[in-house]
Amino acid sequence: QAQLVESGGGLVQAGGSLRLSCAASGRTLYAMGWFRQAPGKDREFVAAIGWSGGAVYNTDSVKGRFTISRDNAKKTVYLQINSLKPEDTAVYFCAASSRSYVPGVKINEYDVWGQGTQVTVSS
């Protein structure tokens, strides 16, 4: 059984940066992604990366500030977030697919989820 553990969240001032990490264990996972959920809102897609490194982003919310990467040897995916804004405040969830190599943008394309890490941006 696969597990995902996120880390790197925290409280940061607007304009700052964070690097979120998601470490996988257990069976091999292929496409991996990040989603986020703000209070009172639906979970939304942020970014995803395929097994070979091809990435997709939610351009509306990311706008060039987020970068997703992965280290397959370490079974870890990262999300670098720069120029943080208060509207980036949310719980960030790591997700992975045990079936697809291709990064997806929909929640139901992922079958393994982490517990989430809180990111809070103060103005």
Side-chain angles (χ1 to χ4, degrees):
Q1 187 172 352
Q3 288 186 326
L4 301 174
V5 178
E6 302 100 332
S7 62
L11 174 64
V12 63
Q13 288 188 332
S17 298
L18 282 175
R19 188 194 196 201
L20 307 183
S21 298
C22 173
S25 62
R27 71 178 186 273
T28 301
L29 299 172
Y30 302 107
M32 299 186 75
W34 288 95
F35 291 74
R36 67 184 183 183
Q37 189 164 18
K41 295 188 177 181
D42 293 334
R43 191 170 299 190
E44 69 169 352
F45 169 73
V46 174
I49 188 167
W51 178 255
S52 300
V56 293
Y57 296 91
N58 180 341
T59 55
D60 287 345
S61 61
V62 169
K63 296 180 181 178
R65 298 182 295 119
F66 291 22
T67 303
I68 190 170
S69 61
R70 68 187 296 163
D71 184 332
N72 289 340
K74 295 182 178 179
K75 295 185 178 181
T76 301
V77 65
Y78 306 96
L79 185 68
Q80 178 70 39
I81 312 174
N82 298 325
S83 303
L84 278 155
K85 303 176 181 180
E87 51 263 44
D88 294 319
T89 295
V91 178
Y92 285 71
F93 295 91
C94 178
S97 173
S98 63
R99 302 182 296 268
S100 175
Y101 288 81
V102 178
V105 302
K106 298 179 181 179
I107 291 174
N108 61 10
E109 294 182 276
Y110 297 90
D111 54 327
V112 183
W113 290 82
Q115 293 299 307
T117 185
Q118 177 71 46
V119 172
T120 302
V121 184
S122 63
S123 57

